Amino acid sequence: MRDVQFKPQSPAWLAAMTALAALTLSACTLGPSGQAPVMPQPAGYAAEATPATLGPEQARQKFVLGQRAVPQWWQAYGSPQLSAWVEEALRNNHSLAQADRNLASARLQLRAQINESLWPTIDAVGQASRQRALGLPNLGAPTNLYNVFAGQIRASYTFDLFGVERYANSALAAEVDAQSYQLDAARRAVVANVVITAINAASLHAQVAQTERLVALAEGDVADLERRATLGAVSGDDVLAARASAQSLRATLPGLQAQWLGARHALAVLMGRTPDQAPVDLDIDALHLPPEVPLSVPSELLRQRPDILAADAALKVAAAQEAVATAEMFPSLSISASFGQSGFTWAKATGGAGAVWGLGASLTQPLFHGGALRSRREAAKEAYLASEANYRQTVLNAFQNVADSLVALGHDADALQAAAAARQASEQGWRNAQKRARLGAYAASAERAGERQYLNARLGEIRATASRMSNTATLFQAMGVGMEAAPAQAGATP
């Protein structure tokens, strides 16, 4: 047998070197691993230790460290109507539908790209043309007219020697994962927004009712002073001062009513309805403060929050894109084949003499592209480092989000406790004034003053209650716990 010698100029030498390089690089990767960097694991979230319980006995919340929350956390508010609204929003919110369709489209694009990279492309080509060409000098006619009929099957395939297609598929798969996490984040945001907006609308509704009563009491004071002024018991300045106070209080109503209706409209749109189909407000007093709030440890938070998971997927995208940019600097090998019939007449094109075929192979090694390939590789490296920094910042932002929510809940508990105590004291004073007024010991104005003090204290309690309930929803969302599809409740009414 004759020995085969490889010369540097021969195609056999180039093919052998390409195969050797492919085998060498098959055991290693051309880019970073894409693994998330190690992040600090703090013992707690906030600068100050989080207490195990918050609030007074009648409005106490307990934090359960290390426990995962139930997926349908909104049911902890004890309102079937609120749960029905959340489920309606998850079904009908158009932003969620758009994100869901985008995710489905991305998955189909990934499938198309993988199939295209795994299998050869095969195409059927049919051609019929009439051409006019110049003839040979001094031989025959100066121009030739002729027909061309051809039909071929063409196939081509590019060998993924250095993983260009494989890394490109990995990048697209990680992008699909990122979109999946973004959809999850959008679902969580819609749920939290429905809960918070419903609480806000219920609070504003109650505030409007309390403020309207305050305006009525102020106008009662004006009418009483006007009667007393006609008797000379008070001066005209006293009447003017009371009238100005009543009008100032009335001036706060339009803005409060606009906020209330705006919250109702926002809730309707979140649920996929038109604003005129806004649901009836909840009763703020009928909502229950969730008694237990599971608090995941920081290490678990990294595996629960969709924004962190999306940042991790983006890191894998950048790693795969860096590998693609590196692999594009190495040779590529393609083969092609074609078989068909061709001729200058239809009869010849379909006969045995018209059979045509071709086979070919192409080995391409980039030599000089003006530094473009190296620049793309360096750009991909910088993009990977940027994704790594983005992941670190996303984790820190998540820790801050939880810490701020915990601090806000602590202050809410203190504010609610103080507001509830003020409301109880002012309510007792008002009831006592009512009793004395019935016995003739107090003037009607004194009774109105007692009720006014109670209503102002009640407004403070309503705001504090709504703030604590809303911040509880924010903490549930900040935990990033898993969600499951909630079964639709039959017979839910607005």
Side-chain angles (χ1 to χ4, degrees):
M1 181 181 295
R2 186 165 58 91
D3 293 336
V4 179
Q5 295 182 352
F6 295 105
K7 298 180 180 180
Q9 296 83 4
S10 67
W13 181 83
L14 289 176
M17 291 299 99
T18 301
L20 179 60
L23 290 174
T24 302
L25 291 173
S26 63
C28 61
T29 58
L30 301 183
S33 65
Q35 295 298 318
V38 178
M39 295 298 297
Q41 301 296 324
Y45 289 101
E48 298 179 353
T50 303
T53 58
L54 291 176
E57 184 66 31
Q58 63 273 19
R60 178 162 295 177
Q61 276 184 317
K62 179 182 179 182
F63 294 123
V64 186
L65 184 63
Q67 178 180 334
R68 292 176 64 91
V70 293
Q72 299 173 19
W73 56 264
W74 53 89
Q75 295 183 353
Y77 287 88
S79 172
Q81 191 60 71
L82 178 61
S83 297
W85 291 350
V86 169
E87 293 156 10
E88 182 177 347
L90 290 175
R91 290 193 306 268
N92 300 334
N93 185 274
H94 297 297
S95 296
L96 290 183
Q98 178 186 5
D100 189 41
R101 295 298 183 183
N102 288 338
L103 177 59
S105 174
R107 285 172 173 163
L108 291 173
Q109 289 175 4
L110 173 61
R111 180 184 299 176
Q113 179 169 304
I114 291 176
N115 289 339
E116 189 175 31
S117 64
L118 288 178
W119 303 98
T121 59
I122 302 176
D123 300 299
V125 180
Q127 178 184 356
S129 63
R130 181 171 179 79
Q131 300 183 16
R132 181 177 184 269
L134 295 176
L136 293 176
N138 304 321
L139 293 176
T143 58
N144 296 316
L145 291 175
Y146 58 90
N147 300 323
V148 175
F149 300 93
Q152 288 183 323
I153 299 295
R154 296 176 182 175
S156 63
Y157 183 73
T158 299
F159 292 92
D160 195 20
L161 298 178
F162 296 94
V164 172
E165 297 295 337
R166 176 165 57 90
Y167 287 119
N169 293 343
S170 297
L172 187 55
E175 289 178 358
V176 172
D177 288 340
Q179 287 198 28
S180 175
Y181 296 133
Q182 289 166 5
L183 173 60
D184 190 23
R187 285 170 55 84
R188 298 172 198 274
V190 166
V191 169
N193 287 337
V194 167
V195 173
I196 292 172
T197 305
I199 292 171
N200 190 34
S203 170
L204 289 169
H205 186 191
Q207 291 179 53
V208 167
Q210 302 293 316
T211 304
E212 287 175 343
R213 178 57 183 164
L214 282 170
V215 170
L217 291 175
E219 291 177 344
D221 287 340
V222 172
D224 185 48
L225 287 174
E226 287 176 343
R227 287 193 299 268
R228 295 176 64 189
T230 58
L231 300 175
V234 295
S235 66
D237 290 341
D238 293 334
V239 175
L240 292 176
R243 189 174 296 150
S245 178
Q247 291 304 318
S248 296
L249 189 58
R250 178 177 287 279
T252 63
L253 265 178
L256 200 59
Q257 290 170 333
Q259 293 180 46
W260 168 45
L261 292 175
R264 293 188 64 196
H265 296 162
L267 181 59
V269 172
L270 283 169
M271 297 165 61
R273 303 184 184 183
T274 56
D276 61 310
Q277 297 296 319
V280 178
D281 294 305
L282 299 172
D283 182 1
I284 189 68
D285 294 323
L287 292 173
H288 300 285
L289 186 70
E292 288 190 358
V293 181
L295 193 61
S296 301
V297 296
S299 60
E300 286 292 327
L301 192 71
L302 303 184
R303 294 189 289 269
Q304 294 176 184
R305 281 185 59 121
D307 55 344
I308 297 178
L309 296 174
D312 180 59
L315 190 63
K316 290 178 171 55
V317 171
Q321 289 175 342
E322 181 178 340
V324 169
T326 303
E328 287 177 342
M329 302 175 70
F330 293 94
S332 62
L333 175 63
S334 300
I335 60 173
S336 61
S338 64
F339 173 79
Q341 295 288 125
S342 180
F344 295 107
T345 64
W346 181 253
K348 292 181 179 180
T350 56
V356 294
W357 59 268
L359 293 174
S362 172
L363 180 64
T364 304
Q365 168 61 56
L367 295 179
F368 179 74
H369 288 251
L373 296 179
R374 187 174 297 276
S375 295
R376 289 195 191 104
R377 183 168 180 262
E378 294 301 318
K381 286 183 178 180
E382 295 297 328
Y384 177 77
L385 294 177
S387 296
E388 193 174 59
N390 176 66
Y391 177 84
R392 295 179 187 275
Q393 190 61 48
T394 301
V395 171
L396 293 180
N397 290 342
F399 287 166
Q400 180 187 357
N401 184 205
V402 176
D404 291 345
S405 299
L406 288 171
V407 170
L409 270 182
H411 290 127
D412 288 341
D414 295 338
L416 179 56
Q417 186 171 0
R423 190 265 307 161
Q424 291 173 358
S426 59
E427 184 177 13
Q428 186 61 46
W430 173 42
R431 299 303 180 191
N432 292 338
Q434 278 184 320
K435 294 176 183 178
R436 292 188 177 92
R438 292 193 189 99
L439 297 175
Y442 267 17
S445 59
E447 181 183 355
R448 287 195 298 270
E451 185 177 1
R452 185 162 48 248
Q453 185 176 7
Y454 159 73
L455 291 174
N456 283 318
R458 175 61 181 150
L459 280 173
E461 185 182 32
I462 291 171
R463 295 189 187 103
T465 299
S467 178
R468 191 172 179 191
M469 288 187 174
S470 296
N471 283 328
T472 298
T474 301
L475 181 58
F476 273 115
Q477 184 190 17
M479 283 292 97
V481 295
M483 291 176 56
E484 296 175 355
Q489 295 184 0
T493 56

